[in-house]
Structures are given as structure tokens and as C-alpha cells.
Amino acid sequence: MKRSLLLLVLLFAGWSAMAQIVSSGNHQIIFQLTNGQAATHEKFLRQLNNILEAAPNAQIEVVTHGMGVDLLLKDNNAFQSALEDLSKRGVVFVVCENTLKQRNLTKDIFLPLAGFVPSAILELVIKQEQGWIYIKAGD
């Protein structure tokens, strides 16, 4: 009886783990983040994790500009661990250099995982021309 119950539990555990994967496709998703609010960042990072659970082969790039670059600031970043985990799972985070100029910011104030692009809007256009799916993150 114990053996049957254990087998049933193991089968169910394996099935429920597999049930989370919705797609094994190589989806390419580019997000635009312009919101600087911590509550929005928290929800957004949860969404990224949900996508990777459902589609573990997805390629994801997050383009930040305007106040959205605050997500990637080094000092007192409550999301650093979550960002590092997502980066290890292949999510790419980039900061718009035009925003740096407009806000008088320097690259050294960002987490090491942050990449940089000359223009956020142009990065979004290029990726869409390459077939990436565009999603506006946050509010």
C-alpha cells in the first residue's frame, strides 16, 4: 500500500511539474519597460518568471528607458537577486544610452548584468524587424 501511494505521489509530482510547460518553442520576446515604480517592477519580474516556467526555451530581452532604467540600478536594489536569477536563465536586460544622457547617469551605477544600447526605440524596432514579439511592460 505504501509503495503504491509513493508511486502515485511521484507520478503526480512529475505530471504537475510538466504541466507548467506550455510551449517548448523558441519564442523571441522583447519587452519595453519605461515605468520606474517598484510595484510595477515586482509584478513584471514575476511575469518574466511565469513566461520562463511556461516556455523555458523563450529568448527574452528587456529594454529599459526613461524611468524604467531604475530597475537596473546597483544601489539598494531590492530586485537584484531576482534579476541575477533571470539573467542566469538567459534574460537579457539593456539600458538606453539616450536615457543616460537625458538623466545625466553613468553606466557604472547599474548592475553588472545590465547591457547598453544606443537607442531603446531603435533596439525595439530592430528586434521586431527580426521577428521578435513586442510587449509593453508595466502600466
Side-chain angles (χ1 to χ4, degrees), residues 71-103:
L71 173 65
L72 301 173
L73 291 173
K74 200 184 306 183
D75 288 343
N76 301 317
N77 191 323
F79 305 111
Q80 182 172 350
S81 178
L83 289 162
E84 289 170 348
D85 289 345
L86 285 163
S87 180
K88 287 176 188 169
R89 293 173 74 187
V91 178
V92 174
F93 295 91
V94 297
V95 175
C96 174
E97 292 177 353
N98 285 333
T99 295
L100 298 182
K101 292 174 197 165
Q102 292 166 354
R103 291 184 58 190

Side-chain angles (χ1 to χ4, degrees), residues 1 5 8 19-20 26 28 50 55 76 85 92 100 103-105 108 117 121 126 129-130 132 138-139:
M1 180 72 169
L5 183 58
L8 184 61
Q20 292 180 11
N26 295 319
Q28 296 175 306
N50 290 343
N76 301 317
D85 289 345
V92 174
L100 298 182
R103 291 184 58 190
N104 293 317
L105 302 174
D108 63 312
V117 294
I121 300 301
I126 290 168
E129 289 173 342
Q130 294 172 349
W132 288 58
D139 304 330

Side-chain angles (χ1 to χ4, degrees), residues 23-27 55-59:
S23 173
S24 59
N26 295 319
H27 307 287
N57 297 326
Q59 290 179 267

Side-chain angles (χ1 to χ4, degrees), residues 1-2 10 35-36 38 46 58 61 70 78 101 108-109 111 130:
M1 180 72 169
K2 285 184 182 180
L10 289 174
N35 187 304
R46 191 169 45 247
E61 181 174 332
D70 292 357
K101 292 174 197 165
D108 63 312
I109 67 169
L111 294 169
Q130 294 172 349

